[in-house]
Amino acid sequence: MSNRKTIAFLYAHPDDETFGCSYLIRQIADEGGQAVLLTATRGDAGKTGHLGEMTREQLAARRDKELDKAAEILGISVVEQLGLPDGKLSEVDPTLLREKIADFLQRHQAEVVITFPEDGLSGHPDHIAIHYAVNEVVLGGHAPTVQKLYYNQLGSYTSEHSSVLRVDGGDRWEAKRQALAAHESQVWSVERVFGVLGPMVPPGFEIESFELVWERGERYPQVNETSIYDGLL
């Protein structure tokens, strides 16, 4: 199977894509599509796990390498980082953030966008800032190639008012496990969510869910999707 559509993943920190979207990203790559990733910060305000003390610049450089490794494992075609202040995205000029997101989507001619839901999944202010910036770009018509917008949700998410695409991990857990392990500096966060990584899928993480919130001008279209490509022109 081959599908050359471009799916854009827009997130705040290195590893956000791996936590919530690994099955889908690996599926896109396996089917011949293009998964492109924009990360707003380099994650330099985070912890270092078992790696010991680092300066912010050292941690940023380390997380750059971790992200590159995870992207290679998952099959992400393009990784770009904005280098904005980690932990302070809510203080960034919102016009600047929107412009950079719109530029990324236009340059890569993305047909589908995936980002955080309104609560950022974890309540992190950086996640929430990205959510609103992406919404304003896509819903405001500033990325005209985009046909669909999804929020990634937790586990077997269900909704009474929206359609939800579910991606079964199947044999892709190993790719997700390796990509999570690649983010070595974030091991404490990884283990807090998934436990100690092993060959078996942790309970509750067999599926990734993606809520379809907008399709070519329609909010919360009621459709029954089996693929991220369904409905694209």
Side-chain angles (χ1 to χ4, degrees):
M1 181 177 180
S2 177
N3 197 316
R4 299 191 64 80
K5 301 293 187 182
T6 298
I7 316 299
F9 295 81
L10 305 182
Y11 288 106
H13 311 109
D15 76 27
D16 290 337
E17 77 298 323
T18 301
F19 271 68
C21 305
S22 293
Y23 298 154
L24 176 59
I25 293 171
R26 189 61 254 176
Q27 182 183 61
I28 291 166
D30 290 343
E31 293 176 351
Q34 301 286 323
V36 299
L37 172 66
L38 181 66
T39 300
T41 81
R42 297 173 72 194
D44 54 299
K47 297 180 173 61
T48 63
H50 302 301
L51 300 178
E53 292 187 8
M54 293 183 184
T55 65
R56 289 186 67 139
E57 182 54 39
Q58 286 172 333
L59 179 56
R62 175 70 187 219
R63 296 199 71 179
D64 289 348
K65 293 180 180 178
E66 292 174 350
L67 180 57
D68 286 345
K69 183 176 180 181
E72 182 178 0
I73 292 166
L74 295 178
I76 297 174
S77 302
V78 173
V79 176
E80 293 186 21
Q81 292 177 292
L82 299 180
L84 296 171
D86 185 15
K88 297 182 178 181
L89 285 184
S90 61
E91 301 174 18
V92 170
D93 179 354
T95 300
L96 173 67
L97 184 55
R98 291 195 299 268
E99 287 176 349
K100 289 183 177 295
I101 289 170
D103 174 68
F104 178 83
L105 295 174
Q106 290 168 16
R107 281 189 291 108
H108 295 291
Q109 298 287 287
E111 284 99 349
V112 179
V113 170
I114 297 169
T115 194
F116 292 114
E118 187 175 9
D119 64 359
L121 290 178
S122 65
H124 195 300
D126 282 359
H127 295 191
I128 294 170
I130 289 293
H131 162 84
Y132 282 108
V134 172
N135 264 27
E136 289 173 15
V137 169
V138 174
L139 304 186
H142 303 298
T145 64
V146 175
Q147 299 182 43
K148 296 199 290 185
L149 172 65
Y150 291 86
Y151 301 153
N152 73 286
Q153 298 285 3
L154 296 174
S156 300
Y157 177 83
T158 59
S159 172
E160 294 182 357
H161 69 272
S162 61
S163 300
V164 180
L165 173 67
R166 295 179 180 84
V167 178
D168 192 331
D171 59 3
R172 295 188 176 98
W173 163 251
E174 180 57 22
K176 182 161 186 160
R177 185 195 67 78
Q178 289 183 22
L180 287 166
H183 291 287
E184 187 178 2
S185 66
Q186 304 308 297
V187 62
W188 294 338
S189 295
V190 170
E191 291 184 352
R192 184 174 67 248
V193 175
F194 296 95
V196 176
L197 298 176
M200 304 299 293
V201 182
F205 294 98
E206 299 87 355
I207 290 173
E208 292 174 348
S209 294
F210 302 90
E211 181 182 14
L212 178 62
V213 296
W214 179 90
E215 183 173 6
R216 290 190 295 278
E218 182 182 356
R219 294 298 302 272
Y220 300 107
Q222 292 293 319
V223 294
N224 184 19
E225 294 189 315
T226 60
S227 167
I228 199 79
Y229 304 115
D230 287 357
L232 294 180
L233 301 179

